Each structure stands twice: as structure tokens, then as C-alpha cells.
Amino acid sequence: MTKSFSIELPSNLSTTGDDQLAGPPLDLKAIVGMVYRRFWLILTGFVTTFSVIAFMTFTQTPLFSAQTVIQLDTQERNVIDLGAIFSGLGGTTAVIDTEVMVLESKSLLTRVAEKQKLVEDREFNPWLRPEKKGLLSPVKGLVRSVTGQTDKPDPFDALPAEEKLAIQKEVAVEILKAKVQAARIGTTYLITINVLSQSPETAARLADEVADQYRVQQLEEKYEATRKATEWLSERVSGLRAEVEEKERRVETYRAESGLLAAQGATLTEQQIAFMTSQRGSLQVDLDRARARSESLRRQMASGAGADGISEVLDSPVISDLKAQRAGINRRVAELETKLGPQHPELISARNEAADIDRQINAEVERIAGNIDNELRVAQSQINSIQGEIARSTGQLRGNNQALVRLRELERDADTSRQLLEEFLTRSKQTGEQDALITADASILSKASVPDAPASPKKALNLLIGLILGAIVGGGLALLTEIFDMKVSSTEDVERKLGANPIGSVPLIRTASFLGLSQTNPADFLVENPLSAFAESIRYLRAAIAFSDLDSETKTVAVCSSLPDEGKTSLTLALGRMSAMSGSRTLVIDGDFRRRQLTETAGLKPDIGFVEHLFGAGQLSDAIVKDRKTMLDILPLAQNGHTPHDVFGTRAFDDLLERLRSMYDLILIDTGPLLLMAEARVVAGKVDKTILVVRWRHSSRSAARQSLTLLRNFKADILGVTLNMVDLSSSRHHRDPGATYKAYQKYYQMEAKPSVFSWMGIGKGKPNGKAPKGSVAVQVPPSKATGRE
């Protein structure tokens, strides 16, 4: 018999609270523990991933890469400026990225495929490749021959030759497109063309061909654009000529019909108005001068000024002669007056002559004044005549201006067509001279060289990626397994994930037998091996109960579990036997009315049991049975006894429990599963302490957490959670520090029955209880070994 075990000191001496949930975050130690527990899963994921990548790497067909570099010409080198039609490529990022896409376009690669006749290359034409025969090909052929099946005809073979060739070209272009990659070098005007191929010569040849066809396509596009532009310009010029002639003829016709004849840039009416306006200005000056002379003369004459005081008269030669004659007569009159008397005929004659000259002067003045008035009237008449002519011409000009609006509209339309005709004539001439100047917008900077080594697969890189990806997959599987692992694996899980106080780990007893499984149950193993690690773990559990409350004595303890088959009954019986072996008066009560596991485990078949006595069928001494191996008292359940619906909730049970307190030092009650039976919850609320048993790597955290919630709802005083049936041989899943067989094998020994194990060399002669080489170690849970929980 071999065994492994763990012992954990009672931790219930400290206060249990919700702060136990706040455990430390995932640290390096936790990661190492996870890797250790899930080692085989990680290794499987790692090896599988790495093997797949390695297989794909070493079975992949080698591909060679050749590269051609082209330079885009963004400068406009045309001698004749044709605007946007023949301009070079722009230097923007969008334009260069567009050219990169053109290099990878299907139209360009179709030209390459046709030029290089790729449909005749097996690499680009799958129909030329030999049929691959896999490992199952012989088996498939045998099955077809046995079943009489024939190969299905390929629909491709039934197509016409032209359709076959078209499909093959399409497939070749698609394969080539997957092998060609163009990319811009940084922010420069350089573009690399990379081509992958199974042949290094083919890769170099195709890379250069893609660059050549790219330049040829640019030239063809420009020539085509030139041809189309020339044709369009010629058609447009012809139409514009006829349009201009028609519009100019319409202008002249309208000008003649509306009388808008012009000379030197102005119409005749406008020139006539301008001339008469100029004449009116001259006549107005003459009129103003005549009016001023007339008014001045009249004022002088009205003031009594003589002929000598009138400025207009002074210039008259007649007046001047008359004045000279009068001056001579006046001298002669003065001489005669001095010589002759006043009545002298000669003096009188001289005076009459002087008066006659004065009359002539006055008459001449009147004549001059009349002439000035005539000049004024003539000037006024001329002005009035010219003003009337100007008014008539102005009216005619007003009508002409209205007609001029339409004339100008016709002229603008004709001018627009004329300018457009001249522009198109210039463009047409430039287009005809442009053909000899067209060049491609790209030049080949470096041609592709034949590669010496394959570019893919990159074995070292792929294997490194396989290592990294395998580690990621293995770690991810382990992490997912940990996340979805809802089992309780250690006292740390009890403390951190259940929020409860762990009070020990009880190991799973492992037995080895050549004939099969041993029938030794944990309670019997405890009696037979009092110095074993299992016994020590039960002893520590008893100590935890004894020191659970320093202020008051703990006498009644309910042992519960969430679901069946968690080892609760075997643990309760073993704990009761350990307490009795330690000298304490101990009673174990079988409280599982449906299964009666504790009664069967102890090998009892009483006629009067716990329920019969509780309802008055016998004395207490008749119901209590002494354990055959220890001084333990057991209150069993009768095999054929009737079980009422409510036992622990009765007053009789309360009285019985109070009576038993005075008789025993420790009373253990084995209850039914908490999640299945309500009686377990009731009795948990009436005892001093309650222990929840959780089976290692079997009980789910949700069930244990729900059980703890039920116990708290029924006001149960929870002593803690015991981790039961811990298989320490599976150290990958056991995370309690130091709780390993190697840590304690120097301090504990196991006594085995010689009848079963002595022939195997196991027993006292093997103080450490190690099984010899060749023996079989089998896990024996109590429910499997003895049929008991």
C-alpha cells in the first residue's frame, strides 16, 4: 500500500471575513504553478502548433523573389504646352499610390501574361501540372474498383478550345497577380516591383516584363489620347468655323438694318452729335460776346455818355472822320466868335455845320448799336437751330442705343466663337506636332537580377514563429482551462474563491493490490494506521474543533457537504473514532435519513435507531451502539425505520441534543447534502459549529459557494471548509505549499495488513510505505472502495 497525504494546521483560530476574498493578484508564482499543472496541455498545444508550422515550412515549394526598380517622372518635359492632356504625372502621394495600384492591376498583368505566354507554364497553368497522388490514392482506387465507380468527367474537358484558353489565361493572370507586389520606397518617386516564382529566371524575367509593359501602357495611353484629341479638335474646328461665319454675318445684317453704321469706332449719329455740340459751343461764345457788347452799349448810351465815352464807337472809322471834321469846325467857330459877332452869317453857318456833324455822329452811333443788336439776334438764331438739331439727333441716338444692346450681344457671341476657334486652331496644330515628343512617365532605374537563394519559405523565421505561436497556443489553452476550471483544488481556492476559512486538507488513501481494489475504508485505515499522515490530518481537524472557540466549549458539530460522494460520512466516522481514541466521550449521529451511509460504514444493523428513540420507541441506551474498534458511541438509523418529514425541527430533537450535551464531550452529526435536503440546513442552525466538506477536484465552486450561502442564511456558525480526498500524487493540481509526500515521509509510517501486502514487500519492512517497482497504485475513494460516502 502506498499513500500520499497533506497536513494543514487549523486556520480557524483567526477571524474569517470577506477580506479573505481579496487575495494577491496573479504573480510569477501563480504563473509557474499554472504552467506546472497544465504542463502536458501546454506541451501538446506547443508541439502541435510547432509541428504544423514546421511541416508547412519544410513541405512548401521554394519561391524566388526578383525585384525591378522604376522611377516616376513627375516633371513636364513637353516642348509644346498642351495643358492637362499631355502633362506628366503629379508628385502627390495619391498619384504615386495610384501608380502602385496600376502596377498590380489586372489589365497590366494580362498584357504581361500574354507577352510571356504564361498559359504554357505549369506554374501558372494548373491544367499542365501532373496529378498529385496522395497517400490515400491507392485506397481510393481500390474502393472505386470494388464498388464499380468510375472517375467523374471533368467539365473543363467538355468546353470549346477558345473557352478553355480564356479560362486558362484568366487563371494564369490571377496566379501572377498573387505573385506580383509593387511598393513605394519611402517618400521617394521610386517604386519596386517584386515577383515571386518557383524559378529564379522566371521571377527576374517577369519583374522586368511588368516594368516594360507598364511603360508601354503609358505610351499607348498617351498616343491614344493624342489621336482622340486630334480627331475631336478637327471636328470642333470645322464646326466653329461655320459658327463664327454665321454669327459675324448676323452682326453686320443687324447693324445695317438698325442704322448703326460706324466709322472710326463710333456711329454716324454719335459723330454728328459730337460735331454739333462743338459748334454750339462756339456759337454760344459769339452769342455771349454780342450780348455783352449790346448791353454795354445800351448802358453807356443810357448814361448820356457821348460818342467819345462809348467803347464800341471809338473803333468806327466813320466816327473818327466825323470827330476830326467837328474838331476843325469847332476851331473855326472859336476863331469866328473872336472875330465876328454872334449873329454873323459866317459864324451861324459854321455853328450849323458843327451841329450837322454831331447829328451824323449820333446817327452813326445808332447804326453801330443796331448792328450789334443784329449780331445778337443772328447768334441766338444759330444757337437755337443747332440746339434743335442736337435734340433731333439725341432722340435718334436713344433709339440707336436700344438697338445697340442687341448688336453688342451679337458681337460678344461672335467674339466668343472667334476666340474659341482660334484656341482650337492652336491646340489642333500643337496636337499634330506632339506625337514625336511623347515619352513615358517612368523609367527603369534597375533591372531585376536572377536571385541566388529562395525568398520563401524563411525556415529560421518560420520556426521561430512556430516556437512563439506554439507557446502562445499552449499558454492560451492552459489559461482557458484555468479560467473554466471551476473545481476546488487547494485551501487557497477555499480562502480566495469561496471566501471561507480552510481548516485542513485530508489526503486520499491510495492502496495497491495484485488482486484488485482493497476494501479498507478511511475510518478502518485510521484505526489500523494511527501514526499515518491520514490520521494526523484527522487529528489536526479535531484540534481545530477543540480550539475553535476559546470562550465557550464546542460540543455539537454538524458535518455537511454540498452534494453526495464528497467523503463526508467517512470523514465524520474517522473524526469520531479519532476523538474517541484520544479519550474524549464522543457520539456520532447518522443524520442522513435517506441513505444511512454512516450506519452501513460502521457495519451496524440496529433494530432501534435515532428516529425510533426520538419518537419514543425505545430508550437512549438501546439506540446508542458502541463502535467495535474504538470507544466511539454511534447513534445509527434503523434499517426499516420510518422517517418523518421533519426530524431536526422538532422539540424532541432539541431536548435530545440538550441531554446529549451533558453526556458527551463531542457530538458529531452526519447530515445529508445541503443542496438536496432541507434537514441538513435546519440542524446546522442548531449545533455549535458546522463543517463543510468539499471534495478535492470534484466539488464545483458554485455548489460550495451556494452551500455556504445557505448555511449563513440559517444562522449556522461555520467553523470552516475541509478539503477532502486530496490526491497528492497528482502534484500538478495540488497547490498547497509543503503538503507533499516527500515533506512528511520521514515523520510518518503506515502499517499494512500482512495478509494483503506482505508478499509484495510492503509493510513494516518498508518504513516509508513505498510500493516496490511493478506494484499497481490505485485511487480508492470511499464511495468506490466500500460503497459508502
Side-chain angles (χ1 to χ4, degrees):
M1 180 183 298
T2 62
K3 57 183 175 56
S4 61
F5 51 86
S6 71
I7 300 174
E8 184 168 313
L9 292 176
S11 58
N12 63 309
L13 298 180
S14 61
T15 307
T16 302
D18 293 338
D19 57 339
Q20 292 175 340
L21 285 171
L26 188 63
D27 53 6
L28 181 61
K29 182 179 178 181
I31 295 176
V32 172
M34 182 188 71
V35 173
Y36 183 71
R37 289 189 300 275
R38 309 295 178 183
F39 175 77
W40 292 111
L41 180 62
I42 295 174
L43 182 62
T44 302
F46 173 81
V47 171
T48 302
T49 304
F50 181 78
S51 300
V52 170
I53 294 179
F55 176 78
M56 294 174 62
T57 298
F58 288 103
T59 57
Q60 183 178 354
T61 303
L63 296 177
F64 294 86
S65 176
Q67 183 182 90
T68 300
V69 181
I70 63 175
Q71 179 181 359
L72 297 180
D73 187 4
T74 60
Q75 301 295 326
E76 298 182 7
R77 302 179 182 274
N78 296 327
V79 178
I80 300 176
D81 183 13
L82 295 181
I85 298 179
F86 305 110
S87 62
L89 292 175
T92 62
T93 302
V95 171
I96 299 176
D97 291 342
T98 301
E99 295 305 309
V100 171
M101 299 300 294
V102 170
L103 285 167
E104 297 178 353
S105 64
K106 187 175 181 179
S107 60
L108 179 63
L109 297 181
T110 300
R111 299 164 62 99
V112 175
E114 292 175 352
K115 185 66 177 296
Q116 293 295 321
K117 298 180 180 179
L118 296 184
V119 291
E120 301 176 3
D121 192 337
R122 291 188 301 176
E123 182 179 354
F124 298 92
N125 191 348
W127 287 272
L128 299 179
R129 302 171 190 172
E131 184 180 358
K132 293 184 178 180
K133 295 184 178 181
L135 298 177
L136 299 179
S137 297
V139 178
K140 293 180 180 178
L142 180 61
V143 172
R144 291 193 189 99
S145 62
V146 172
T147 58
Q149 296 179 352
T150 59
D151 295 337
K152 295 182 179 179
D154 190 356
F156 180 79
D157 296 334
L159 296 176
E162 294 181 357
E163 293 186 12
K164 286 183 180 180
L165 182 59
I167 294 175
Q168 290 175 346
K169 287 182 178 180
E170 185 75 16
V171 173
V173 171
E174 292 298 330
I175 296 176
L176 178 61
K177 187 176 182 180
K179 294 176 179 291
V180 175
Q181 182 179 9
R184 182 184 182 184
I185 301 178
T187 57
T188 65
Y189 297 134
L190 302 180
I191 298 178
T192 60
I193 303 173
N194 292 281
V195 178
L196 293 175
S197 176
Q198 299 175 6
S199 170
E201 293 80 8
T202 302
R205 188 177 71 253
L206 290 179
D208 291 337
E209 187 64 31
V210 170
D212 291 339
Q213 290 300 323
Y214 173 66
R215 297 180 74 252
V216 170
Q217 180 173 292
Q218 285 185 335
L219 291 174
E220 290 181 354
E221 288 177 354
K222 288 194 174 185
Y223 280 124
E224 182 65 18
T226 303
R227 185 187 61 80
K228 290 182 179 179
T230 302
E231 293 178 357
W232 182 78
L233 287 173
S234 299
E235 295 176 359
R236 189 60 178 154
V237 166
S238 299
L240 286 174
R241 278 201 181 98
E243 182 180 345
V244 170
E245 291 176 359
E246 176 64 24
K247 290 183 178 179
E248 288 181 347
R249 187 181 303 108
R250 191 182 306 167
V251 169
E252 296 303 327
T253 301
Y254 185 80
R255 189 191 301 275
E257 292 175 353
S258 59
L260 296 177
L261 300 177
Q264 297 180 354
T267 63
L268 297 179
T269 302
E270 291 176 345
Q271 293 179 3
Q272 184 177 4
I273 291 174
F275 176 72
M276 288 187 296
T277 302
S278 177
Q279 281 187 335
R280 186 184 63 179
S282 299
L283 292 175
Q284 184 67 40
V285 172
D286 294 341
L287 176 63
D288 293 340
R289 184 181 299 112
R291 184 180 290 113
R293 290 173 61 195
S294 177
E295 290 177 356
S296 176
L297 179 63
R298 295 300 178 186
R299 284 195 305 269
Q300 290 176 356
M301 292 176 64
S303 63
D308 296 334
I310 300 174
S311 57
E312 296 294 335
V313 177
L314 296 177
D315 297 331
S316 174
V318 176
I319 296 297
S320 298
D321 291 341
L322 291 175
K323 284 181 179 181
Q325 292 178 11
R326 191 184 65 175
I329 292 174
N330 285 339
R331 285 193 303 270
R332 190 164 64 84
V333 169
E335 291 178 355
L336 291 176
E337 284 180 351
T338 58
K339 297 178 178 181
L340 300 176
Q343 296 299 325
H344 190 279
E346 188 177 356
L347 178 60
I348 294 171
S349 175
R351 287 178 178 173
N352 289 333
E353 187 177 355
D356 183 55
I357 291 175
D358 287 337
R359 281 193 301 273
Q360 290 181 8
I361 291 175
N362 291 332
E364 185 65 22
V365 170
E366 290 293 336
R367 187 186 64 79
I368 292 174
N371 290 337
I372 292 176
D373 290 339
N374 289 333
E375 291 178 1
L376 178 61
R377 284 191 295 270
V378 170
Q380 184 66 48
S381 176
Q382 289 178 346
I383 288 178
N384 292 337
S385 176
I386 290 177
Q387 185 67 35
E389 191 65 25
I390 290 175
R392 185 187 63 78
S393 298
T394 302
Q396 183 179 359
L397 180 62
R398 189 177 299 111
N400 291 345
N401 288 339
Q402 294 177 357
L404 189 61
V405 173
R406 173 60 180 167
L407 177 63
R408 288 174 179 171
E409 180 180 353
L410 295 175
E411 288 178 344
R412 285 194 301 270
D413 193 11
D415 290 340
T416 301
S417 298
R418 189 182 302 108
Q419 292 176 3
L420 190 59
L421 174 61
E422 293 175 355
E423 179 68 21
F424 272 87
L425 285 173
T426 304
R427 290 296 179 90
S428 179
K429 183 179 180 180
Q430 291 175 350
T431 303
E433 297 175 357
Q434 182 68 20
D435 290 344
L437 303 176
I438 292 178
T439 58
D441 293 327
S443 59
I444 299 178
L445 191 63
S446 65
K447 287 185 172 292
S449 58
V450 178
D452 298 330
S456 67
K458 298 180 180 179
K459 297 180 180 179
L461 179 61
N462 288 357
L463 293 180
L464 178 60
I465 294 175
L467 291 174
I468 297 174
L469 188 60
I472 293 175
V473 171
L477 292 175
L479 184 61
L480 289 176
T481 305
E482 285 288 317
I483 292 175
F484 291 102
D485 185 6
M486 303 303 294
K487 305 300 181 182
V488 181
S489 302
S490 66
T491 56
E492 183 181 6
D493 288 348
V494 173
E495 186 174 5
R496 294 182 55 188
K497 298 178 181 178
L498 297 182
N501 184 31
I503 56 172
S505 297
V506 179
L508 174 68
I509 299 175
R510 298 172 60 85
T511 61
S513 173
F514 180 75
L515 300 177
L517 298 177
S518 173
Q519 297 298 317
T520 302
N521 62 52
D524 295 338
F525 182 84
L526 173 70
V527 177
E528 297 169 0
N529 301 276
L531 299 180
S532 63
F534 176 81
E536 191 65 22
S537 65
I538 300 299
R539 191 174 293 112
Y540 277 122
L541 184 59
R542 176 180 172 274
I545 296 173
F547 293 97
S548 61
D549 195 343
L550 300 179
D551 296 331
S552 60
E553 186 177 6
T554 300
K555 285 194 172 185
T556 56
V557 177
V559 182
C560 307
S561 66
S562 302
L563 297 169
D565 298 330
E566 297 194 35
K568 164 182 59 63
T569 300
S570 300
L571 181 63
T572 304
L573 183 58
L575 182 59
R577 286 183 174 179
M578 176 58 70
S579 178
M581 291 169 60
S582 300
S584 299
R585 293 174 298 170
T586 307
L587 174 67
V588 176
I589 301 176
D590 189 356
D592 190 353
F593 305 115
R594 292 168 176 79
R595 300 186 67 186
R596 300 169 47 253
Q597 290 291 313
L598 190 141
T599 302
E600 295 180 3
T601 302
L604 304 177
K605 297 181 181 180
D607 295 329
I608 299 176
F610 169 45
V611 177
E612 288 76 15
H613 166 71
L614 193 63
F615 291 96
Q619 298 295 325
L620 181 60
S621 58
D622 299 331
I624 295 177
V625 180
K626 186 68 69 175
D627 185 26
R628 293 175 296 179
K629 297 185 178 182
T630 62
M631 297 301 294
L632 175 66
D633 287 343
I634 302 175
L635 187 54
L637 292 172
Q639 185 173 3
N640 297 322
H642 171 70
T643 304
H645 293 290
D646 189 6
V647 175
F648 297 112
T650 61
R651 179 65 180 175
F653 175 74
D654 296 339
D655 295 339
L656 175 62
L657 193 60
E658 188 64 28
R659 179 182 176 188
L660 293 175
R661 285 177 182 272
S662 61
M663 297 172 57
Y664 293 95
D665 298 326
L666 178 63
I667 302 171
L668 301 175
I669 303 177
D670 178 29
T671 67
L674 281 168
L675 301 182
L676 303 179
M677 298 178 60
E679 293 89 344
R681 311 169 194 176
V682 176
V683 71
K686 293 186 176 184
V687 297
D688 296 334
K689 299 291 181 181
T690 300
I691 297 175
L692 179 64
V693 177
V694 174
R695 182 174 174 179
W696 178 84
R697 299 291 304 163
H698 179 81
S699 303
S700 63
R701 293 200 300 266
S702 59
R705 192 179 296 113
Q706 186 177 358
S707 298
L708 291 171
T709 302
L710 289 174
L711 291 174
R712 295 188 184 101
N713 292 338
F714 278 84
K715 309 301 181 184
D717 189 355
I718 304 173
L719 178 62
V721 176
T722 296
L723 198 60
N724 193 26
M725 301 172 66
V726 179
D727 185 6
L728 294 181
S729 64
S730 180
S731 57
R732 297 186 187 278
H733 295 283
H734 189 266
R735 290 173 282 181
D736 289 333
T740 60
Y741 180 80
K742 293 182 179 179
Y744 296 101
Q745 62 180 347
K746 296 180 180 180
Y747 297 92
Y748 303 102
Q749 62 180 1
M750 181 185 69
E751 299 176 359
K753 293 182 178 181
S755 59
V756 180
F757 300 102
S758 58
W759 63 271
M760 297 175 62
I762 306 175
K764 294 183 179 180
K766 300 289 183 178
N768 290 332
K770 296 182 179 179
K773 183 178 293 187
S775 62
V776 181
V778 184
Q779 290 189 1
V780 187
S783 61
K784 303 296 182 182
T786 64
R788 301 177 178 87
E789 181 183 3

